[in-house]
Amino acid sequence: MSKKIPKVRIIPLGGLGEIGKNINAIEYENEIIILDCGLTFPEDEMLGIDVVIPDITYLLKNKDKIKGVLLTHGHEDHIGALPYFLKKISVPVYGTKLTLGLVESKMKEHNIGNENLNVVSPSQKLKLGSFEIEFIKTTHSIPDSVAIAIHTPAGTIVHTGDFKIDFTPIKGEIMDLHKLAEIGKNGVLALMADSTNVERPGYTMSESMVRSTFHDIFMNAKQRILVATFASNVDRIQQVIDAAVEFGRKVAVSGRSMVNVVSIARDLGYLDVPEGTLIEINDIDNYSDDKVVIITTGSQGEPMSALARIASSDHRKISLMPGDLVVISASPIPGNEKTISKVINQLFKRGAEVIYEALADVHVSGHACQEELKLMHSLLKPKFFIPVHGEYRHLKQHVELAQSMGMNRENILLMENGDVAEFSKDRAKIVGTVPTGHVMVDGLGVGDVGNIVLRDRKHLSEDGLIVVVVTISRENGSIVAGPDIVSRGFVYVRESEDLMGEARNVVKRALMECESKNIKDWATLKSSVRDSLRNFLYEKIKRNPMILPIIMEV
């Protein structure tokens, strides 16, 4: 009898063909482990949506098989959906100290206990069922990031997480290239690698390059300084604090997520803040302008962020003054260019000086460029390759990069979310798909807003609403009161009295016609009112508002 060939499956449920929402399932026989569990932020057409999380239908069906969740680092697109996941599937979570510190804070907000959280250190090994897991130190724009090697009976799978190769990191050790080379020497079945910066040639600059820029800015500035950056970029925050200390400035922190991360990173020893450096935001007016720096959120121009509110004079505690120096220490995430540009223009209008990426080296990426990706491929020498973390164009270009290094195209899987890839020692193929997609979170509602609700919201936002209220007689269907018409976001009623008067007559005629035909069915009455009013309004002013007829009987 022939021996059964071990097979392992890789199932990406998010993070492919998109930036964010990263989550992957690795499945061997009756066991599953999850890599990351992130969220993404809504696209423009997702009106009123707060965040978007992955569809975990497949994992819910197979929750008894899940051995645990492994986290690569603490960015929102890798840990943000974890509280929603853990409410439905209670399993152990493994991550480094800072990553789990940030996760724990999220879980408190969601009233979930932290009994599932298990701290691991880079170079630590872990056994979960048939899987042997190694965490490998990497460098990224947040400390404590790791790549993960998963040793299975079918072979070793390596997931790089988000990384860049930084030989002069701000804090901690450099990337453990030696360990990666060792794993590569022992044989890698499949590599899953970050594709975010694959379009950029060369190398990503070291985070420490920003240090000299900050030094020059702080040395020459005589005014108040505001620095906007990602809350999770702890190394960048450290550099702002270092420059502030060197030039005798106090540091205030603004923005809920920024306050949260600074507090956690400080408590866990990832931020070095000399005693007396941090001050409350309420106390900034007690110091002269050349003695204050404010670190704030809003580097992506998010409408409700601290920087956007400062720019539009909506911030309760920080008033922008002419001459203030604003440093935007981030680059736009694809799709955010317009909102950032709007905030920069507002800041200039208010008399501020603004320094952003186009004007100075105030930001470096946290993701590997082409030469670093080539180094990762050459160290690990994978048999098969799956590009991950990127829009379709990024994944496609990462395929071409792997081919340029001599990899056979047949050994590269260009996958989509929901594809199931099966690997044995010598073969890799896509064998099926599982349900996947967006789950939209609006307030406390998770997944209760779907495409139909979004379509209605879009309709309301573009064309407005008309409510028609009519009271009819139960006995003969004649109109007793009304029709009354109330509109929102359609026309300014006081200036459109004639139009509204005509609209009332159109509704009246439609109801009288139904009465003459002895139609008393409410659905037909509403449909008649809706159709006649829609046709009238479109004919008159070429608009299609949402029409809600309300019919009452007395």
Side-chain angles (χ1 to χ4, degrees), residues 39-42 46-54 80-81 84 87 110 438-450 454 457:
L39 55 72
T40 189
F41 293 99
M46 294 180 181
L47 300 164
I49 300 302
D50 299 324
V51 294
V52 181
I53 60 175
Y84 302 101
K87 282 177 185 176
H110 286 258
H438 300 311
V439 173
M440 287 170 270
V441 179
D442 183 1
L444 294 175
V446 179
D448 57 348
V449 173
L454 282 183
R457 287 183 182 182

Side-chain angles (χ1 to χ4, degrees), residues 234-255:
V234 176
D235 289 342
R236 192 71 47 80
I237 296 166
Q238 182 68 66
Q239 293 189 86
V240 177
I241 289 168
D242 290 348
V245 170
E246 185 179 351
F247 294 101
R249 288 179 182 256
K250 299 292 184 186
V251 178
V253 181
S254 172

Side-chain angles (χ1 to χ4, degrees), residues 196-311:
T196 312
N197 263 0
V198 71
E199 294 174 320
R200 297 188 187 182
Y203 298 86
T204 303
M205 285 199 310
S206 168
E207 180 62 38
S208 58
M209 293 287 288
V210 179
R211 180 180 283 153
S212 59
T213 309
F214 277 156
H215 179 276
D216 293 346
I217 289 170
F218 277 67
M219 182 172 67
N220 296 317
K222 297 289 176 271
Q223 67 268 61
R224 195 166 62 160
I225 302 174
L226 290 85
V227 180
T229 189
F230 291 109
S232 57
N233 197 335
V234 176
D235 289 342
R236 192 71 47 80
I237 296 166
Q238 182 68 66
Q239 293 189 86
V240 177
I241 289 168
D242 290 348
V245 170
E246 185 179 351
F247 294 101
R249 288 179 182 256
K250 299 292 184 186
V251 178
V253 181
S254 172
R256 192 170 71 97
S257 56
M258 185 69 78
V259 170
N260 196 25
V261 170
V262 166
S263 169
I264 292 165
R266 207 178 165 199
D267 289 347
L268 296 176
Y270 291 89
L271 261 185
D272 181 18
V273 187
E275 200 63 44
T277 302
L278 282 183
I279 60 170
E280 291 294 325
I281 205 80
N282 294 331
D283 297 335
I284 54 176
D285 293 336
N286 298 341
Y287 298 86
S288 59
D289 290 351
D290 62 344
K291 295 295 178 197
V292 173
V293 57
I294 299 165
I295 307 177
T296 177
T297 53
S299 62
Q300 295 302 302
E302 308 95 311
M304 296 308 293
S305 66
L307 185 66
R309 286 184 286 125
I310 291 166

